[in-house]
Amino acid sequence: MSTEASLLQRRRPLTAAELGVIPWLTVLQPDERERAVADLKITDAKPGDFVCRTGRPVTYWFGLVDGLLKMSADNIDGQTMTFTGVPPGGWFGEGTALKREVYRYNIQALRKSLVAGLHVDTFHWLLDHSIGFNRFVMRQLNERLGQFIAAREIDRMGNPNIRVARSLAALFNPVLYPGLGAVLRITQQEMAYLVGLSRQRVNEALTKLASEGAIAVEYGGLRVLNLQALRTGMF
DNA sequence: TCATTAAATTGTT
DNA sequence: AACAATTTAATGA
């Protein structure tokens, strides 16, 4: 199995196209940006690979360039609870990186993904030097908090249609995942892993949501037509 | 570039 | 969980 240890080994600098997917680079001053880019590394994650696991010390602040990740935590009773999915453009672990603690959740690749990493030392340097970066991280923390609370509610909800809808709405969160367009590349199988339902039930829910005009189902993904409807469940 | 084949994904049962 | 139908990706002429 590949862990974060091996992730640190086979890594390389980022291409220009990959840098373009990183939302916070645009809020930096030229000198800050230069330092960040110099430190950024990228690596592959195969489906099932853990990018980070609970209890491991934080060495990098991670972000997704391409692919799809799942953020989850293990309950006391051994049950795994999925917080949310992470689409390209999403960055995570800032809370633990701030305090230099250990990870409180697992991040696992749902499909072949490109993961970028910024060393915690550089992360802290940016916090000390860049106002824009501070704003970005602050907003990120705030949104993430709201998302965790929402995840608890989603988990308790019985109606699978609503569950799928709100999970999709969370994936489209414009603050946490700014680079995302209206099209989300996610298979129904991946969606099933994310919300903890069977694939056929997800299929049923997506068909329902599509008939209500909230989304359009496409091959290998879907298009969000009415984000508000997904959030509120009013279709 | 096009046609054929393999693989992935979806929609149903 | 299994199936057929459909879409995309890969291959090679």
Side-chain angles (χ1 to χ4, degrees):
Chain A
M1 176 200 301
S2 173
T3 65
E4 59 275 22
S6 63
L7 276 175
L8 301 185
Q9 290 163 9
R10 5 171 267 271
R11 51 183 192 181
R12 57 169 175 81
L14 278 72
T15 68
E18 289 161 355
L19 288 174
V21 189
I22 301 177
W24 48 267
L25 276 180
T26 58
V27 306
L28 300 183
Q29 299 296 315
D31 59 317
E32 299 160 354
R33 182 189 159 95
E34 189 181 350
R35 179 150 177 169
V37 169
D39 183 59
L40 276 170
K41 300 288 180 340
I42 200 163
T43 181
D44 285 303
K46 297 189 295 293
D49 279 358
F50 283 94
V51 176
C52 64
R53 304 181 91 146
T54 50
R56 301 296 183 92
V58 176
T59 40
Y60 283 86
W61 184 46
F62 286 116
L64 187 61
V65 171
D66 187 49
L68 185 68
L69 306 178
K70 183 177 84 169
M71 184 184 292
S72 64
D74 292 322
N75 210 325
I76 301 176
D77 12 306
Q79 295 234 308
T80 300
M81 176 174 157
T82 299
F83 288 137
T84 179
V86 180
W91 284 73
F92 48 89
E94 62 278 344
T96 35
L98 262 175
K99 293 174 282 186
R100 293 178 183 272
E101 289 178 337
V102 295
Y103 290 111
R104 292 184 183 165
Y105 41 75
N106 300 312
I107 299 278
Q108 196 172 13
L110 286 179
R111 64 163 171 261
K112 193 176 184 305
S113 300
L114 282 176
V115 180
L118 185 77
H119 199 279
V120 275
D121 292 341
T122 312
F123 177 80
H124 274 95
W125 184 88
L126 284 171
L127 282 178
D128 289 341
H129 291 81
S130 171
I131 304 261
F133 191 74
N134 273 278
R135 282 207 202 94
F136 180 90
V137 171
M138 210 178 290
R139 228 160 53 118
Q140 177 103 349
L141 278 168
N142 191 41
E143 283 296 322
R144 184 81 71 204
L145 179 64
Q147 206 171 49
F148 279 4
I149 294 169
R152 292 193 51 142
E153 294 173 3
I154 292 175
D155 220 47
R156 290 166 195 268
M157 271 187 298
N159 188 332
N161 289 341
I162 310 257
R163 244 176 100 161
V164 170
R166 301 208 35 189
S167 298
L168 277 177
L171 280 178
F172 265 83
N173 184 322
V175 171
L176 288 178
Y177 315 115
L180 220 53
V183 212
L184 180 61
R185 282 275 302 174
I186 183 173
T187 67
Q188 299 182 4
Q189 179 63 74
E190 290 166 342
M191 194 71 207
Y193 283 133
L194 216 52
V195 297
L197 297 171
S198 69
R199 185 178 68 79
Q200 46 265 65
R201 193 59 191 82
V202 167
N203 179 273
E204 195 181 331
L206 289 179
T207 306
K208 166 79 172 154
L209 292 174
S211 76
E212 302 289 351
I215 61 172
V217 178
E218 297 173 5
Y219 184 87
L222 50 88
R223 183 180 302 274
V224 172
L225 303 175
N226 188 345
L227 184 55
Q228 195 56 36
L230 289 180
R231 286 221 184 86
T232 58
M234 310 292 280
F235 356 93

